[in-house]
Amino acid sequence: MNRRKPLPSPLLLLLLQLLAVSSQLIPSADTFTNHTTALPECLRGQESALLRLKRSFSTTNRSTIAFRSWRSGTDCCRWEGIRCRGTTGRVTSLDLGDRNLESRPHLDVTLFKELTSLRRLNLAGNDFSMSEIPSTGLERLTRLTHLNLSTTNFSGQVPRSIGRLTGLVSLDLSFRFEPSLGPFHVDGKFHADLTRRRQLTLPNLSALLADMGGLRELHLGFVDLSGQGDEWCAALARYTPNLRVLSMPFCELRGPICAPFAGLRSLSVIDLQHNRLTGPFPEFIVDFSSLSVLQLSYNDLHGWVPPAIFQHKRLVTIDLHQIPGVSGTLPNFSADSNLENLLIGNTNFSGAIPSSVGNLKSLKKLGLGAQGFAGYLPSSIGELTSLTSLEVSGLEASRNQLSSTISPDFCSTKIQFLDLSYNILGGSIPSCIMADTNALKVLNLKGNQLQGVLPHDINKHCMLEAIDFSDNWIQGLLPRSLASCKNLEVLDIGNNQINDSFPCWMSTLPSLQVLVLSNNKFFGHVAKGKGICEFQSLRILDIGSNNFSGALPWDFFIKLKSMMVNTANGALVMEYQADLQRLQQEYQVATSLTYKGNSITFEKIIRTLVLIDVSNNAFHGSISEAIGELVLLNILNMSHNSLTQSIPSELGRLKQLESLDLSSNELTGVIPQELASLDFLTTLNLSDNNLKGRIPGSPHFMTFPNGSFVRNDGLCGHPLSKKCSNATTSNTACCPSKDKPADIMLFLFAGFGFGVGFAVVIVVTWVLPLRKKS
C-alpha cells in the first residue's frame, strides 16, 4: 500500500520564507568592503598642500616620526594629525603640536588656499627659526575656530590678518614658560632676561580683537604689549564679552585693572602675573562666580584684599605672591574649599595663620611668606596629605615673626619643597624630617635661630636636591649619611658653628655643584692624604672664613673638571625645584657669596657663575699654577691667608675672570703682565702684599683704583702716587717672555761669547724701549 509523503507543516513553510527574505536584506561581506572604500577620500589638492607643508620642515629624526604616515598616493584623511569631515573629505583639523619640528625659513602660505575648511590649526611647540608669521594667507581660513601658534619661535609683529578670523573661539600666541629659562630675583626685586623670549609684538590689541566677539580663550603670554599703555584693559572689556580664559603673563602690561573689567563675569581663568600693573587690588573679582584661577603675582598692585576671595567656592589657585603693596587677613577656611594652590608670599598680609588652614584637604602648594604674619605655624598643616610644597619664608631684611620650633608633624608627609627660611624658629631640626621622608627634594631653613646638631640618620633613599641650613647656630659635624643623597646639587651650611674637617667624602655625590662651608669652624688641610677628593661637578666652592691650614693642593684643583669644561649646554640658570611637572613651582636657592668685594645673596645661581673662595683661612705656600687650568672661573678670592712667592702668570689664562682678590697675603715679585689681558676683570685687589716693580701700564689696568695696589712698598706707577724711575724693575724686564725671538738671540750670543753682539742685543731689546717708556 503506497503511503503519501507528509506535507510540510505551516510553521516550517513560514521559517523557509523568512530565511529567503533575510538573505536578500542582509548584505554580504563583500558589500561591507565596497561600502567602506566608497567613502570620499582626501581631496587631491589638499593632499598636495599638506605634502608641501611637510617639505617645509627640515628632515630630522623627529620629522621622520611625525610624518611617517604622510605618503603620496595614500588617503591624507588617515595621516597622523589630520582629521577630515566625513561627507566631503575636506581637512578640518591639522595638529602638529609639540613635535619639535624645525622649519625652513618661511611657512608656505600657499597651502592655505587649499585648506580653507580648517577649523583647528595647531603648530605649537615647533621651531620656525625666527621667521615672521605670514602677513597674508591666514585670513583665508574663515572657518577657523582654534589657532595655536604658541612657542613656535616666530618673531616680529602679530599680523592683522589674524584679526580677520572672526570665528575664532581660542587664540594662543604665547610662549609657554620654561623654568630653566625663567626670571631671577636679586634683593627681592624682579629681573628677567626676556630679550630672547618676547619675540612677538602686538602694537594694537584693539585692532586684533575688534571682530572677535566670540572669543573664549586668549593666550598672549610673553607677547610684547608695552605699546598699549593702559588701553589693554578697556579693549578686553569692549571686544571680548564672552571670554572665559585670559592668560597674559610677561606682556609688559601697565596701568590699573580698569572698572569695565568687572563686566567679564564669564572668566574662569585670570593670569596677569609678571607685568607692571598698578592701582588698587580689583575687589570686584569676588563677584566672578565662575573664577577658578587667579594669578596676579609680581605686580605693583596695592590695597586691601577681601577675605571673601579666600572663601570663593570655585577658586582652585590664588597666586598673589610678590605683591608687597597688598594687605589683608586670612579668614577661617571651610572644609568644602577647592583650593589647591594658595600663594601670598612677600605680601603685607598680617595677623595669625588660622589653624583652619588644615581644612584645605585639596591643598598642594602653600606659600605664606607674608611679612606681617606672627605667632606659630599651625601643626594642622602637617595633616594636609596632598601638600607637596610649603613655603613660609620671609626676607633677609624683613623676617617673619613665626616662632617656636619646627614641628615633627612635617615628617612622613608628601612635601617635596619645604621653605621655612627667614623666620625666628628655634630649637633643633627634627631628625625625622630627613629620616622619614622619601619625597623631600628641597629643604630651606636659612636665616633662623636653629641650634643643636644636624640630623645624622638621613634616609638611605634620600631624594634631596638642595639643602640650605645657612645663617643659624648649628654645631657639630656634617652628617656622613648625606652621602646617600645622590641627587644633591646644592649644600649651603654657611655661617654656623660646624666644627669638622674638609668633607672629601662628599666627592662621591655625582651631581654636587654648589658647596658653601664659609663662616664656620672647619679645620685642617684640604684634600690631604691618599683618599679620593674629586669634585668633578663642582662650580661653586666657598670655604672662606674657617680655620683651614696647610698648602693649597694643586692636585685638588686639577680635578675640578666642571670649572675647566663648559658643561652648561647653553642653559642660562641652574635651578633647584621640587618636581616641576607636578608642583609647577620654580625654586631658586638663595646663596650668599662674596662677589666683587661685597656680600651678595644670589637668589638664583647663574649657571655660568664659577667661583672659588678660600679667603680668611691660614693657607700658606705658593699659589698653584694649576689654577690656570680652571678657565671658566669668574671669581677667585684667596685673600687674608699667608700665601707666599710670586703670582703665577698662568692666571692670565682665566679669560672669564671678573673678580680677583689676592690681598692681605705675603706675595712677592712683580705683577704678571698676563693679568693685563683679562678683559672681563672688573674687580682687582692686590693690596697688602710684598709686590714690587711697575704696575702693568695697559689701558685696562689704568681703570683700577689706588686701593687695588696699596701697601705694596715696592710697587710704582699709575694709579699709585709713587712714580717709577728708569731703573725700576718692570714686570716685563723681570721675566722676559720665553717666546721672544730677541730673547733667543740674546741667549745664543751670550753662549758663544760674542760680546759685541751681546751688547747690541741688550741695547736694542731692553735699553731703548725702557728709555722711550720713561
PDB file of all heavy atoms in Angstrom, residues 409-440:
ATOM      1  N   ASP A 409      55.329  67.280  62.900  1.00  0.00           N
ATOM      2  CA  ASP A 409      54.182  66.985  62.032  1.00  0.00           C
ATOM      3  C   ASP A 409      54.547  67.069  60.557  1.00  0.00           C
ATOM      4  O   ASP A 409      53.802  66.575  59.703  1.00  0.00           O
ATOM      5  CB  ASP A 409      53.036  67.960  62.320  1.00  0.00           C
ATOM      6  CG  ASP A 409      52.433  67.756  63.697  1.00  0.00           C
ATOM      7  OD1 ASP A 409      52.300  66.590  64.113  1.00  0.00           O
ATOM      8  OD2 ASP A 409      52.123  68.751  64.364  1.00  0.00           O
ATOM      9  N   PHE A 410      55.683  67.734  60.263  1.00  0.00           N
ATOM     10  CA  PHE A 410      56.101  67.830  58.862  1.00  0.00           C
ATOM     11  C   PHE A 410      56.828  66.576  58.396  1.00  0.00           C
ATOM     12  O   PHE A 410      57.191  66.464  57.224  1.00  0.00           O
ATOM     13  CB  PHE A 410      56.989  69.057  58.657  1.00  0.00           C
ATOM     14  CG  PHE A 410      56.278  70.350  58.884  1.00  0.00           C
ATOM     15  CD1 PHE A 410      56.728  71.262  59.817  1.00  0.00           C
ATOM     16  CD2 PHE A 410      55.137  70.658  58.168  1.00  0.00           C
ATOM     17  CE1 PHE A 410      56.064  72.454  60.043  1.00  0.00           C
ATOM     18  CE2 PHE A 410      54.456  71.849  58.372  1.00  0.00           C
ATOM     19  CZ  PHE A 410      54.923  72.747  59.325  1.00  0.00           C
ATOM     20  N   CYS A 411      57.081  65.649  59.312  1.00  0.00           N
ATOM     21  CA  CYS A 411      57.730  64.395  58.950  1.00  0.00           C
ATOM     22  C   CYS A 411      56.703  63.446  58.324  1.00  0.00           C
ATOM     23  O   CYS A 411      55.508  63.561  58.563  1.00  0.00           O
ATOM     24  CB  CYS A 411      58.368  63.739  60.170  1.00  0.00           C
ATOM     25  SG  CYS A 411      59.556  64.805  61.027  1.00  0.00           S
ATOM     26  N   SER A 412      57.193  62.523  57.535  1.00  0.00           N
ATOM     27  CA  SER A 412      56.338  61.496  56.923  1.00  0.00           C
ATOM     28  C   SER A 412      55.211  62.110  56.096  1.00  0.00           C
ATOM     29  O   SER A 412      54.104  61.564  56.031  1.00  0.00           O
ATOM     30  CB  SER A 412      55.758  60.571  58.001  1.00  0.00           C
ATOM     31  OG  SER A 412      56.787  59.955  58.732  1.00  0.00           O
ATOM     32  N   THR A 413      55.451  63.255  55.463  1.00  0.00           N
ATOM     33  CA  THR A 413      54.455  63.858  54.584  1.00  0.00           C
ATOM     34  C   THR A 413      54.894  63.680  53.133  1.00  0.00           C
ATOM     35  O   THR A 413      55.942  63.126  52.846  1.00  0.00           O
ATOM     36  CB  THR A 413      54.318  65.363  54.881  1.00  0.00           C
ATOM     37  OG1 THR A 413      55.561  66.007  54.576  1.00  0.00           O
ATOM     38  CG2 THR A 413      53.970  65.594  56.345  1.00  0.00           C
ATOM     39  N   LYS A 414      54.073  64.179  52.215  1.00  0.00           N
ATOM     40  CA  LYS A 414      54.411  64.134  50.799  1.00  0.00           C
ATOM     41  C   LYS A 414      55.129  65.405  50.346  1.00  0.00           C
ATOM     42  O   LYS A 414      55.341  65.608  49.153  1.00  0.00           O
ATOM     43  CB  LYS A 414      53.143  63.956  49.966  1.00  0.00           C
ATOM     44  CG  LYS A 414      52.444  62.618  50.158  1.00  0.00           C
ATOM     45  CD  LYS A 414      51.229  62.516  49.262  1.00  0.00           C
ATOM     46  CE  LYS A 414      50.520  61.188  49.447  1.00  0.00           C
ATOM     47  NZ  LYS A 414      49.302  61.089  48.591  1.00  0.00           N
ATOM     48  N   ILE A 415      55.475  66.253  51.311  1.00  0.00           N
ATOM     49  CA  ILE A 415      56.088  67.542  50.960  1.00  0.00           C
ATOM     50  C   ILE A 415      57.417  67.311  50.236  1.00  0.00           C
ATOM     51  O   ILE A 415      58.280  66.597  50.719  1.00  0.00           O
ATOM     52  CB  ILE A 415      56.300  68.406  52.216  1.00  0.00           C
ATOM     53  CG1 ILE A 415      54.953  68.807  52.813  1.00  0.00           C
ATOM     54  CG2 ILE A 415      57.117  69.643  51.890  1.00  0.00           C
ATOM     55  CD1 ILE A 415      55.060  69.627  54.074  1.00  0.00           C
ATOM     56  N   GLN A 416      57.543  67.937  49.072  1.00  0.00           N
ATOM     57  CA  GLN A 416      58.772  67.870  48.291  1.00  0.00           C
ATOM     58  C   GLN A 416      59.577  69.161  48.406  1.00  0.00           C
ATOM     59  O   GLN A 416      60.787  69.155  48.232  1.00  0.00           O
ATOM     60  CB  GLN A 416      58.438  67.605  46.819  1.00  0.00           C
ATOM     61  CG  GLN A 416      57.694  66.305  46.599  1.00  0.00           C
ATOM     62  CD  GLN A 416      57.321  66.117  45.152  1.00  0.00           C
ATOM     63  OE1 GLN A 416      57.870  66.783  44.262  1.00  0.00           O
ATOM     64  NE2 GLN A 416      56.413  65.218  44.878  1.00  0.00           N
ATOM     65  N   PHE A 417      58.886  70.241  48.692  1.00  0.00           N
ATOM     66  CA  PHE A 417      59.509  71.571  48.748  1.00  0.00           C
ATOM     67  C   PHE A 417      59.141  72.184  50.088  1.00  0.00           C
ATOM     68  O   PHE A 417      57.973  72.463  50.346  1.00  0.00           O
ATOM     69  CB  PHE A 417      58.974  72.400  47.578  1.00  0.00           C
ATOM     70  CG  PHE A 417      59.353  73.845  47.597  1.00  0.00           C
ATOM     71  CD1 PHE A 417      60.396  74.294  46.819  1.00  0.00           C
ATOM     72  CD2 PHE A 417      58.663  74.764  48.366  1.00  0.00           C
ATOM     73  CE1 PHE A 417      60.735  75.644  46.819  1.00  0.00           C
ATOM     74  CE2 PHE A 417      58.993  76.101  48.373  1.00  0.00           C
ATOM     75  CZ  PHE A 417      60.033  76.549  47.595  1.00  0.00           C
ATOM     76  N   LEU A 418      60.120  72.349  50.986  1.00  0.00           N
ATOM     77  CA  LEU A 418      59.866  72.907  52.310  1.00  0.00           C
ATOM     78  C   LEU A 418      60.791  74.087  52.540  1.00  0.00           C
ATOM     79  O   LEU A 418      62.014  73.942  52.617  1.00  0.00           O
ATOM     80  CB  LEU A 418      60.084  71.849  53.390  1.00  0.00           C
ATOM     81  CG  LEU A 418      59.862  72.303  54.845  1.00  0.00           C
ATOM     82  CD1 LEU A 418      58.441  72.814  55.031  1.00  0.00           C
ATOM     83  CD2 LEU A 418      60.154  71.161  55.802  1.00  0.00           C
ATOM     84  N   ASP A 419      60.213  75.283  52.626  1.00  0.00           N
ATOM     85  CA  ASP A 419      60.976  76.517  52.806  1.00  0.00           C
ATOM     86  C   ASP A 419      60.418  77.260  54.008  1.00  0.00           C
ATOM     87  O   ASP A 419      59.325  77.824  53.962  1.00  0.00           O
ATOM     88  CB  ASP A 419      60.876  77.384  51.554  1.00  0.00           C
ATOM     89  CG  ASP A 419      61.755  78.632  51.634  1.00  0.00           C
ATOM     90  OD1 ASP A 419      62.304  78.892  52.716  1.00  0.00           O
ATOM     91  OD2 ASP A 419      61.880  79.328  50.617  1.00  0.00           O
ATOM     92  N   LEU A 420      61.178  77.247  55.109  1.00  0.00           N
ATOM     93  CA  LEU A 420      60.821  77.975  56.334  1.00  0.00           C
ATOM     94  C   LEU A 420      61.877  79.029  56.637  1.00  0.00           C
ATOM     95  O   LEU A 420      62.088  79.396  57.791  1.00  0.00           O
ATOM     96  CB  LEU A 420      60.689  77.000  57.511  1.00  0.00           C
ATOM     97  CG  LEU A 420      59.683  75.859  57.341  1.00  0.00           C
ATOM     98  CD1 LEU A 420      59.713  74.937  58.551  1.00  0.00           C
ATOM     99  CD2 LEU A 420      58.279  76.390  57.130  1.00  0.00           C
ATOM    100  N   SER A 421      62.524  79.541  55.605  1.00  0.00           N
ATOM    101  CA  SER A 421      63.650  80.452  55.782  1.00  0.00           C
ATOM    102  C   SER A 421      63.206  81.808  56.316  1.00  0.00           C
ATOM    103  O   SER A 421      62.061  82.220  56.170  1.00  0.00           O
ATOM    104  CB  SER A 421      64.387  80.638  54.450  1.00  0.00           C
ATOM    105  OG  SER A 421      63.517  81.184  53.474  1.00  0.00           O
ATOM    106  N   TYR A 422      64.163  82.502  56.968  1.00  0.00           N
ATOM    107  CA  TYR A 422      63.979  83.860  57.471  1.00  0.00           C
ATOM    108  C   TYR A 422      62.766  83.977  58.390  1.00  0.00           C
ATOM    109  O   TYR A 422      61.872  84.791  58.183  1.00  0.00           O
ATOM    110  CB  TYR A 422      63.892  84.860  56.317  1.00  0.00           C
ATOM    111  CG  TYR A 422      65.172  84.970  55.530  1.00  0.00           C
ATOM    112  CD1 TYR A 422      65.212  84.661  54.176  1.00  0.00           C
ATOM    113  CD2 TYR A 422      66.344  85.363  56.161  1.00  0.00           C
ATOM    114  CE1 TYR A 422      66.395  84.751  53.460  1.00  0.00           C
ATOM    115  CE2 TYR A 422      67.528  85.465  55.455  1.00  0.00           C
ATOM    116  CZ  TYR A 422      67.550  85.141  54.105  1.00  0.00           C
ATOM    117  OH  TYR A 422      68.724  85.235  53.411  1.00  0.00           O
ATOM    118  N   ASN A 423      62.729  83.114  59.390  1.00  0.00           N
ATOM    119  CA  ASN A 423      61.796  83.251  60.496  1.00  0.00           C
ATOM    120  C   ASN A 423      62.630  83.349  61.770  1.00  0.00           C
ATOM    121  O   ASN A 423      63.823  83.625  61.717  1.00  0.00           O
ATOM    122  CB  ASN A 423      60.833  82.061  60.540  1.00  0.00           C
ATOM    123  CG  ASN A 423      59.764  82.150  59.460  1.00  0.00           C
ATOM    124  OD1 ASN A 423      58.826  82.925  59.563  1.00  0.00           O
ATOM    125  ND2 ASN A 423      59.918  81.354  58.398  1.00  0.00           N
ATOM    126  N   ILE A 424      62.022  83.119  62.916  1.00  0.00           N
ATOM    127  CA  ILE A 424      62.779  83.092  64.168  1.00  0.00           C
ATOM    128  C   ILE A 424      62.551  81.747  64.856  1.00  0.00           C
ATOM    129  O   ILE A 424      62.365  81.668  66.070  1.00  0.00           O
ATOM    130  CB  ILE A 424      62.398  84.274  65.096  1.00  0.00           C
ATOM    131  CG1 ILE A 424      60.882  84.383  65.264  1.00  0.00           C
ATOM    132  CG2 ILE A 424      62.963  85.572  64.566  1.00  0.00           C
ATOM    133  CD1 ILE A 424      60.458  85.474  66.246  1.00  0.00           C
ATOM    134  N   LEU A 425      62.561  80.705  64.039  1.00  0.00           N
ATOM    135  CA  LEU A 425      62.381  79.355  64.560  1.00  0.00           C
ATOM    136  C   LEU A 425      63.607  78.956  65.377  1.00  0.00           C
ATOM    137  O   LEU A 425      64.748  79.205  64.973  1.00  0.00           O
ATOM    138  CB  LEU A 425      62.165  78.371  63.415  1.00  0.00           C
ATOM    139  CG  LEU A 425      60.922  78.628  62.551  1.00  0.00           C
ATOM    140  CD1 LEU A 425      60.933  77.713  61.336  1.00  0.00           C
ATOM    141  CD2 LEU A 425      59.651  78.444  63.357  1.00  0.00           C
ATOM    142  N   GLY A 426      63.371  78.331  66.512  1.00  0.00           N
ATOM    143  CA  GLY A 426      64.456  77.899  67.372  1.00  0.00           C
ATOM    144  C   GLY A 426      64.444  76.398  67.558  1.00  0.00           C
ATOM    145  O   GLY A 426      63.772  75.652  66.835  1.00  0.00           O
ATOM    146  N   GLY A 427      65.224  75.939  68.541  1.00  0.00           N
ATOM    147  CA  GLY A 427      65.315  74.505  68.782  1.00  0.00           C
ATOM    148  C   GLY A 427      66.176  73.812  67.751  1.00  0.00           C
ATOM    149  O   GLY A 427      66.923  74.445  66.999  1.00  0.00           O
ATOM    150  N   SER A 428      66.080  72.514  67.698  1.00  0.00           N
ATOM    151  CA  SER A 428      66.879  71.733  66.759  1.00  0.00           C
ATOM    152  C   SER A 428      66.021  71.262  65.596  1.00  0.00           C
ATOM    153  O   SER A 428      64.784  71.322  65.634  1.00  0.00           O
ATOM    154  CB  SER A 428      67.497  70.524  67.471  1.00  0.00           C
ATOM    155  OG  SER A 428      66.471  69.700  68.016  1.00  0.00           O
ATOM    156  N   ILE A 429      66.691  70.787  64.556  1.00  0.00           N
ATOM    157  CA  ILE A 429      65.989  70.246  63.390  1.00  0.00           C
ATOM    158  C   ILE A 429      65.527  68.836  63.732  1.00  0.00           C
ATOM    159  O   ILE A 429      66.344  67.989  64.101  1.00  0.00           O
ATOM    160  CB  ILE A 429      66.916  70.226  62.166  1.00  0.00           C
ATOM    161  CG1 ILE A 429      67.406  71.641  61.851  1.00  0.00           C
ATOM    162  CG2 ILE A 429      66.198  69.639  60.961  1.00  0.00           C
ATOM    163  CD1 ILE A 429      68.483  71.677  60.781  1.00  0.00           C
ATOM    164  N   PRO A 430      64.227  68.548  63.643  1.00  0.00           N
ATOM    165  CA  PRO A 430      63.763  67.198  63.964  1.00  0.00           C
ATOM    166  C   PRO A 430      64.452  66.163  63.072  1.00  0.00           C
ATOM    167  O   PRO A 430      64.513  66.325  61.850  1.00  0.00           O
ATOM    168  CB  PRO A 430      62.257  67.259  63.683  1.00  0.00           C
ATOM    169  CG  PRO A 430      61.907  68.702  63.693  1.00  0.00           C
ATOM    170  CD  PRO A 430      63.126  69.433  63.230  1.00  0.00           C
ATOM    171  N   SER A 431      64.988  65.124  63.691  1.00  0.00           N
ATOM    172  CA  SER A 431      65.704  64.118  62.912  1.00  0.00           C
ATOM    173  C   SER A 431      64.790  63.419  61.918  1.00  0.00           C
ATOM    174  O   SER A 431      65.231  63.008  60.837  1.00  0.00           O
ATOM    175  CB  SER A 431      66.338  63.086  63.848  1.00  0.00           C
ATOM    176  OG  SER A 431      65.338  62.453  64.631  1.00  0.00           O
ATOM    177  N   CYS A 432      63.500  63.337  62.255  1.00  0.00           N
ATOM    178  CA  CYS A 432      62.578  62.621  61.366  1.00  0.00           C
ATOM    179  C   CYS A 432      62.349  63.342  60.051  1.00  0.00           C
ATOM    180  O   CYS A 432      61.904  62.740  59.077  1.00  0.00           O
ATOM    181  CB  CYS A 432      61.245  62.397  62.075  1.00  0.00           C
ATOM    182  SG  CYS A 432      60.374  63.934  62.518  1.00  0.00           S
ATOM    183  N   ILE A 433      62.655  64.652  60.020  1.00  0.00           N
ATOM    184  CA  ILE A 433      62.350  65.417  58.814  1.00  0.00           C
ATOM    185  C   ILE A 433      63.213  64.970  57.638  1.00  0.00           C
ATOM    186  O   ILE A 433      62.855  65.157  56.479  1.00  0.00           O
ATOM    187  CB  ILE A 433      62.508  66.927  59.101  1.00  0.00           C
ATOM    188  CG1 ILE A 433      61.603  67.733  58.174  1.00  0.00           C
ATOM    189  CG2 ILE A 433      63.950  67.395  58.899  1.00  0.00           C
ATOM    190  CD1 ILE A 433      61.471  69.179  58.572  1.00  0.00           C
ATOM    191  N   MET A 434      64.371  64.373  57.942  1.00  0.00           N
ATOM    192  CA  MET A 434      65.240  63.872  56.886  1.00  0.00           C
ATOM    193  C   MET A 434      65.349  62.357  56.908  1.00  0.00           C
ATOM    194  O   MET A 434      65.882  61.764  55.977  1.00  0.00           O
ATOM    195  CB  MET A 434      66.626  64.496  57.008  1.00  0.00           C
ATOM    196  CG  MET A 434      66.622  66.015  56.870  1.00  0.00           C
ATOM    197  SD  MET A 434      68.245  66.782  57.125  1.00  0.00           S
ATOM    198  CE  MET A 434      69.098  66.260  55.646  1.00  0.00           C
ATOM    199  N   ALA A 435      64.825  61.745  57.963  1.00  0.00           N
ATOM    200  CA  ALA A 435      64.933  60.285  58.077  1.00  0.00           C
ATOM    201  C   ALA A 435      63.685  59.570  57.586  1.00  0.00           C
ATOM    202  O   ALA A 435      63.774  58.456  57.072  1.00  0.00           O
ATOM    203  CB  ALA A 435      65.202  59.890  59.532  1.00  0.00           C
ATOM    204  N   ASP A 436      62.513  60.220  57.726  1.00  0.00           N
ATOM    205  CA  ASP A 436      61.260  59.519  57.461  1.00  0.00           C
ATOM    206  C   ASP A 436      60.625  59.876  56.127  1.00  0.00           C
ATOM    207  O   ASP A 436      59.529  59.428  55.833  1.00  0.00           O
ATOM    208  CB  ASP A 436      60.246  59.826  58.573  1.00  0.00           C
ATOM    209  CG  ASP A 436      60.694  59.310  59.917  1.00  0.00           C
ATOM    210  OD1 ASP A 436      61.637  58.500  59.939  1.00  0.00           O
ATOM    211  OD2 ASP A 436      60.124  59.722  60.934  1.00  0.00           O
ATOM    212  N   THR A 437      61.265  60.722  55.349  1.00  0.00           N
ATOM    213  CA  THR A 437      60.641  61.148  54.097  1.00  0.00           C
ATOM    214  C   THR A 437      61.386  60.595  52.893  1.00  0.00           C
ATOM    215  O   THR A 437      62.612  60.584  52.852  1.00  0.00           O
ATOM    216  CB  THR A 437      60.574  62.682  54.003  1.00  0.00           C
ATOM    217  OG1 THR A 437      60.006  63.042  52.744  1.00  0.00           O
ATOM    218  CG2 THR A 437      61.964  63.300  54.113  1.00  0.00           C
ATOM    219  N   ASN A 438      60.607  60.141  51.932  1.00  0.00           N
ATOM    220  CA  ASN A 438      61.171  59.735  50.640  1.00  0.00           C
ATOM    221  C   ASN A 438      60.878  60.783  49.574  1.00  0.00           C
ATOM    222  O   ASN A 438      61.287  60.624  48.432  1.00  0.00           O
ATOM    223  CB  ASN A 438      60.579  58.399  50.194  1.00  0.00           C
ATOM    224  CG  ASN A 438      60.996  57.254  51.088  1.00  0.00           C
ATOM    225  OD1 ASN A 438      62.109  57.236  51.595  1.00  0.00           O
ATOM    226  ND2 ASN A 438      60.100  56.296  51.295  1.00  0.00           N
ATOM    227  N   ALA A 439      60.133  61.821  49.951  1.00  0.00           N
ATOM    228  CA  ALA A 439      59.655  62.778  48.963  1.00  0.00           C
ATOM    229  C   ALA A 439      60.462  64.066  48.915  1.00  0.00           C
ATOM    230  O   ALA A 439      60.585  64.682  47.863  1.00  0.00           O
ATOM    231  CB  ALA A 439      58.186  63.104  49.244  1.00  0.00           C
ATOM    232  N   LEU A 440      61.019  64.504  50.060  1.00  0.00           N
ATOM    233  CA  LEU A 440      61.616  65.833  50.164  1.00  0.00           C
ATOM    234  C   LEU A 440      62.758  66.018  49.166  1.00  0.00           C
ATOM    235  O   LEU A 440      63.700  65.225  49.124  1.00  0.00           O
ATOM    236  CB  LEU A 440      62.120  66.049  51.584  1.00  0.00           C
ATOM    237  CG  LEU A 440      62.378  67.492  52.014  1.00  0.00           C
ATOM    238  CD1 LEU A 440      61.100  68.316  51.931  1.00  0.00           C
ATOM    239  CD2 LEU A 440      62.941  67.524  53.424  1.00  0.00           C
TER     240      LEU A 440
END
